[in-house]
Amino acid sequence: MKDRLARLGIKDINSGISTVLYHWNGQGELIDSFSPTNDSRIASVNLGSADDFEKILSIAQSAFLEWRTVPAPKRGEIVRQMGDSFRVHKEDLGHLVSYEMGKSLQEGLGEVQEIIDICDFAVGLSRQLYGLTMHSERPQHRMYEQWHPLGIVGIISAFNFPVAVWSWNAMLAWVCGDVCVWKPSEKAPLSAIACQNIIAKVLKDNNVSEGVSSLIVGDRNIGELMSKDARVALVSATGSTRMGKAVAQNVAARLGKSLLELGGNNAIIVTENADLKLAVPAIVFGAVGTAGQRCTSTRRLIVHNSLKDRLVESLVSAYGQMKIGDPLNKENHIGPLIDEAAVEMYLNAITSALNNGGELKYGGNLLTNLGKCYVEPTIIEVKEQIEVVCNETFAPILYVMAYETLEEAITLQNAVPQGLSSAIFTNNMQESEWFLSNAGSDCGIANVNIGTSGAEIGGAFGGEKETGGGRESGSDAWKAYMRRQTNTINYGKSLPLAQGIKFDF
């Protein structure tokens, strides 16, 4: 691992990190990054201070004035080079993500692949920042709309996807002509620093100001400064609903723009017409992938009464085949939770569910022989959607509920505060169409015969209700990073007014 870190610009895992870029080598408290895989210290990072934040924003402002004048396809060419650089560093960065965050190596590598994919998407987008042309009611007038960059985009990312979600924002923002200031999670700072090092070299090779991409490792105080600063045109924040509400209030108070990707409490409905050969692997991956620490993790299973016992039996059998351990070992499916606080939340949620009538079907134990943060994936059957089921717990806990009618199942699915991802397994066309209709799922993502996890970058990613309403990645999510302008050109020799108004003098 030491050699991989060195190739990513993290040169000393014993005495901390040395760098010439003050962007993330701040003046604040020194914190350690520990791997939850073995509780070992990887490196130390200085948190950024308020003074550091001020310096970064000043540099970002200056960089924006130049970056916005670069033609969008030229900006796309630089993003293309970034994608190529991430291809070169995919193995090293994927290993670091896995080691620092605790997800399986395949998921760590997959996260870096998401960066590469969004780079490819953004390159094409750089030639497709389309506006519309409208017909004017006034003779010899032309109307159209165009899109301009916003300015500084602040990105607050979470530990569970320490690099991919940042890239969804940054790559689009850059081709749109914005500059980015990134505050990663303090729980996974090294993965972010590695990305910054990769980006910095590409910018330097193209004689682009490093202020186009700034990074500051900081605590919630830095996040608060970012959300309150009017120079930050858009704050894109990924994390808990509690955090998102605080960001939204601060940004709204100054009439700024926010893009929020918050909690998820995702359900899979399995009807009596489902193919269980499809459903079982989707449920297992959705529930235990990343040790249940995805915003799109499957947390609730709503299954038709006629299939419940059979499906639970199949899941228990599948869970028993899951290999838990060091995520860098490709044979293992599940790594640790991020830290001991997450373990405590896991235990508290299980206790609450069992105290309120839940029945433990599988798991529920700590795996202290592997380390402090390893837990068993857990299945709990509940008779009704009790309070703990309605809350998001970032852990591999799956709650199973039975239903009789599809209307009842959809009502159960929608009866939580969050609205990110949802899925139904059925071979009945009427059931699938009902689920996708305006009387069906109220989530931003609704799938048929695939699970709740595994979003592709081509589609807009995000959810409704307490998930925040933001959209990132594909489709027309790029519009969040730009401002719309309507233009009218009079190429005639008279000045007719709209709606036939006369104003003679």
Side-chain angles (χ1 to χ4, degrees), residues 182-497:
W182 180 17
K183 191 200 91 63
S185 169
E186 310 97 289
K187 297 181 180 181
L190 302 183
S191 297
I193 290 169
C195 288
Q196 176 70 6
N197 288 339
I198 293 169
I199 294 298
K201 184 179 186 307
V202 175
L203 295 178
K204 182 178 180 180
D205 290 346
N206 286 274
N207 296 313
V208 174
S209 167
E210 66 180 15
V212 168
S213 175
S214 302
L215 186 149
I216 181 168
V217 178
D219 56 18
R220 66 177 59 185
N221 293 323
I222 295 298
E224 186 174 3
L225 287 174
M226 182 181 288
S227 64
K228 289 183 175 180
D229 199 306
R231 293 171 293 179
V232 182
L234 170 69
V235 177
S236 177
T238 302
S240 68
T241 298
R242 176 194 57 78
M243 178 276 294
K245 287 180 177 179
V247 169
Q249 289 172 1
N250 288 333
V251 175
R254 59 178 175 86
L255 298 180
K257 297 178 182 293
S258 60
L259 192 165
L260 302 176
E261 295 290 351
L262 310 176
N265 193 351
N266 316 293
I268 290 179
I269 296 173
V270 178
T271 80
E272 68 268 42
N273 298 300
D275 182 346
L276 295 189
K277 291 181 180 179
L278 294 179
V280 170
I283 296 165
V284 174
F285 175 72
V288 309
T290 323
Q293 297 173 112
R294 290 172 176 246
C295 53
T296 56
S297 289
T298 304
R299 309 202 183 281
R300 297 175 296 141
L301 177 61
I302 304 169
V303 56
H304 193 269
N305 253 326
S306 63
L307 290 178
K308 178 178 66 68
D309 292 342
R310 177 183 166 195
L311 181 54
V312 169
E313 182 179 345
S314 296
L315 291 175
V316 168
S317 175
Y319 272 44
Q321 300 172 52
M322 294 292 102
K323 295 180 180 179
I324 306 170
D326 181 358
L328 292 179
N329 182 341
K330 293 183 179 180
E331 298 298 316
N332 291 328
H333 303 101
I334 308 171
L337 294 177
I338 186 64
D339 55 26
E340 290 180 84
V343 173
E344 184 177 356
M345 286 190 290
Y346 163 86
L347 293 173
N348 290 341
I350 292 172
T351 299
S352 178
L354 298 184
N355 287 344
N356 285 277
E359 181 181 351
L360 185 66
K361 294 294 184 178
Y362 188 91
N365 298 308
L366 305 185
L367 301 175
T368 54
N369 59 309
L370 297 176
K372 296 180 180 179
C373 299
Y374 290 87
V375 302
E376 280 186 317
T378 300
I379 301 172
I380 300 175
E381 186 176 335
V382 294
K383 300 301 182 185
E384 57 184 337
Q385 202 150 252
I386 53 180
E387 182 179 358
V388 69
V389 177
C390 295
N391 297 327
E392 180 189 42
T393 301
F394 242 43
I397 302 173
L398 179 67
Y399 301 105
V400 180
M401 294 165 280
Y403 78 91
E404 283 292 343
T405 67
L406 183 57
E407 184 176 18
E408 177 190 355
I410 292 175
T411 298
L412 276 172
Q413 181 205 272
N414 294 345
V416 294
Q418 310 85 359
L420 178 53
S421 188
S422 58
I424 189 171
F425 278 82
T426 179
N427 286 332
N428 182 294
M429 185 183 71
Q430 289 181 322
E431 290 179 332
S432 64
E433 290 296 329
W434 187 2
F435 179 74
L436 298 176
S437 75
N438 58 17
S441 171
D442 65 0
C443 296
I445 299 169
N447 298 328
V448 176
N449 291 334
I450 61 171
T452 60
S453 292
E456 297 184 34
I457 61 95
F461 179 88
E464 301 302 322
K465 302 188 294 188
E466 287 194 358
T467 301
R471 293 297 185 275
E472 295 170 331
S473 190
S475 185
D476 64 350
W478 62 270
K479 293 180 179 179
Y481 306 91
M482 304 194 82
R483 59 181 176 88
R484 187 196 308 251
Q485 184 181 79
T486 300
N487 307 113
T488 305
I489 298 172
N490 178 3
Y491 58 89
K493 295 183 178 180
S494 62
L495 188 66
L497 301 178

Side-chain angles (χ1 to χ4, degrees), residues 17 49 56 67 75 148 200 237:
I17 302 166
S49 66
I56 287 174
W67 183 244
R75 299 193 294 256
H148 297 295

Side-chain angles (χ1 to χ4, degrees), residues 122-143:
V123 173
L125 179 64
S126 68
R127 295 180 182 271
Q128 300 180 72
L129 301 175
Y130 298 139
L132 298 173
T133 299
M134 290 79 73
H135 290 281
S136 173
E137 66 182 48
R138 290 166 286 185
Q140 297 182 318
H141 281 59
R142 179 166 65 88
M143 293 178 63

Side-chain angles (χ1 to χ4, degrees), residues 30 33 160 271 448 480 496 499:
L30 190 69
S33 177
N160 60 327
T271 80
V448 176
Q499 291 85 45

